């Protein structure tokens, strides 16, 4: 028979063995925990760096896109201005008719009356004026540039055609505050009775 002392010794040995294994397992667990924590921190740092790079790249791309849009707008405005300079624009005008006359009101802001040309034909009248671009008011040393423009510039013409013939000899025009008012009498052709033989 086994005595109780031997049993206690065996139990004590097993207990010590068990506690050593628990301590070993705890140490392994702590090591794994520390390793996982380090990997997490490393991954977190990498993620933060990637996010920062993405934000920086996105911000840079947005700035480049804005600059590109500005350049496109500037280019489009320049082409539009060049187009306006090479094409003839229309003057703004109102046309009123009474029984014996036509009345035309034409806006020519910023133009002197000497710079307005009016020509009449059998049944039409043409008004012409040349507008100076606003940018020309600045000296070269000012280094001014056009940001946007919607005012008329260059040669502008308005031709009005009439249903009736007009009395060219009695057309009159008045200029006041950038407005030309033209009075165009209709040509009254008397009717002749024709005798049939």
């Amino acid at each position: 028979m086994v005595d109780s002392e031997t049993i206690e010794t065996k139990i004590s040995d097993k207990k010590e063995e068990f506690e050593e294994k628990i301590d070993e397992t705890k140490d392994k667990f702590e090591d794994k925990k520390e390793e996982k924590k380090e990997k997490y921190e490393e991954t977190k740092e990498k993620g933060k760096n990637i996010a920062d790079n993405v934000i920086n790249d996105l911000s840079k791309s947005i700035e480049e896109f804005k600059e590109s849009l500005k350049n496109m707008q500037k280019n489009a405005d320049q082409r539009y201005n060049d187009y306006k300079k090479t094409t003839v624009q229309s003057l703004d005008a109102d046309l009123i008719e009474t029984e014996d006359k036509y009345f035309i009101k034409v806006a020519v802001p910023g133009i002197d009356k000497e710079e307005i040309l009016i020509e009449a034909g059998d049944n039409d009248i043409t008004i012409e004026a040349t507008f100076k671009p606003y940018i020309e008011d600045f000296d070269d040393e000012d280094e001014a540039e056009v940001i946007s423009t919607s005012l008329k510039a260059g040669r502008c013409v308005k031709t009005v055609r009439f249903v009736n013939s007009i009395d060219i000899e009695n057309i009159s025009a008045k200029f006041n505050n950038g407005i030309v008012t033209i009075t165009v009498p209709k040509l009254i052709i008397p009717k002749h009775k024709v005798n049939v033989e």
Side-chain angles (χ1 to χ4, degrees):
M1 251 178 126
V2 181
D3 63 6
S4 71
E5 217 175 277
T6 310
I7 292 174
E8 279 184 28
T9 305
K10 282 187 175 183
I11 288 173
S12 179
D13 288 346
K14 289 286 182 187
K15 189 177 174 187
E16 280 179 29
E17 221 178 278
F18 182 71
E19 284 175 353
E20 282 176 16
K21 284 194 176 190
I22 285 176
D23 286 342
E24 253 180 59
T25 307
K26 274 185 180 177
D27 289 344
K28 282 182 182 177
F29 178 76
E30 288 298 322
D31 288 346
K32 290 267 187 196
K33 186 178 170 186
E34 194 61 38
E35 191 180 305
K36 292 272 186 194
K37 189 175 178 183
E38 285 174 10
K39 280 187 178 178
Y40 170 75
E41 290 297 326
E42 190 180 308
T43 305
K44 184 178 163 186
E45 192 62 34
K46 280 183 184 175
K48 186 179 174 198
N49 289 340
I50 289 170
D52 287 346
N53 288 341
V54 167
I55 289 170
N56 289 339
D57 288 349
L58 186 60
S59 182
K60 187 178 174 184
S61 295
I62 288 171
E63 289 303 315
E64 287 173 355
F65 181 69
K66 280 184 186 175
E67 192 62 33
S68 178
L69 277 179
K70 281 182 189 175
N71 289 337
M72 284 172 56
Q73 181 65 47
K74 200 173 185 180
N75 191 13
D77 287 343
Q78 184 61 46
R79 286 177 184 244
Y80 178 66
N81 289 336
D82 292 345
Y83 171 77
K84 276 176 39 174
K85 286 176 188 172
T86 58
T87 58
V88 178
Q89 299 177 68
S90 180
L91 291 168
D92 299 324
D94 286 347
L95 175 63
I96 306 291
E97 180 181 14
T98 63
E99 191 177 327
D100 57 347
K101 291 181 183 170
Y102 294 103
F103 296 91
I104 304 168
K105 185 177 185 180
V106 183
V108 286
I111 299 288
D112 295 328
K113 69 178 184 178
E114 293 79 19
E115 297 171 6
I116 300 165
L117 174 66
I118 302 172
E119 293 179 335
D122 285 339
N123 65 341
D124 63 18
I125 192 164
T126 300
I127 305 100
E128 183 180 325
T130 301
F131 291 88
K132 185 174 85 168
Y134 181 48
I135 189 73
E136 290 183 11
D137 290 350
F138 296 86
D139 295 329
D140 288 339
E141 59 265 10
D142 290 337
E143 294 183 14
E145 65 177 273
V146 177
I147 302 298
S148 72
T149 180
S150 57
L151 297 174
K152 293 185 186 312
R155 183 170 168 251
C156 298
V157 176
K158 181 70 173 184
T159 299
V160 179
R161 300 195 189 291
F162 305 104
V163 176
N164 304 82
S165 293
I166 55 174
D167 185 356
I168 296 172
E169 301 297 323
N170 293 309
I171 295 173
S172 63
K174 292 181 182 173
F175 178 81
N176 187 23
N177 291 332
I179 300 290
V180 176
T181 307
I182 306 166
T183 305
V184 183
K186 294 179 183 177
L187 186 61
I188 309 298
I189 301 172
K191 294 183 181 178
H192 296 286
K193 200 170 196 180
V194 177
N195 291 327
V196 179
E197 293 181 18

